[in-house]
Amino acid sequence: MTRRHMLVLGVREALGKPYVWGAEGPDAFDCSGLVRWLYARAGVRLPRTANLQGRMGRRAGPVLRFGDVLVFRSRRSPSGWHCGMYLARNVFVHAAGRGRGVILSPLAAHSKHLVAARRYLA
């Protein structure tokens, strides 16, 4: 199976799981724990925190691709950072927060807080 296929399977498995600060899956996730867990399934090691995930890898863009890690500034997050993984058609997956869990969201609703897009897949 390709890395891309493993990421898709991981997204399907994670959708609907609850948000828990510090959780790295597979039963619950925080935002960076979700991204790290997805990539681990695909055989790629990522840093643990959203901040570090936004500093490593290669700069993505200007056109986003499936699997790009998106990092946002967030007033809601205790760390001040939030992250998710880009899917396609301006939709990304993320552990959105308590009461929302792992969901798909339109990038447009979050784009003004986007500070980095990093590529970890070739």
Side-chain angles (χ1 to χ4, degrees), residues 47 49-58 71 81 116 118 120:
T49 66
N51 187 357
L52 289 176
Q53 289 173 6
R55 293 181 186 185
M56 308 296 282
R58 291 175 304 155
V71 180
W81 298 97
R118 307 303 286 184
Y120 288 89

Side-chain angles (χ1 to χ4, degrees), residues 17-22 29-31 76-78 82 94-103:
K17 298 284 175 85
Y19 175 93
V20 175
W21 174 257
F29 298 95
D30 70 6
C31 64
R76 290 183 186 172
S77 171
H82 182 66
H94 61 128
R98 212 169 294 126
R100 296 176 68 199
V102 178
I103 61 171

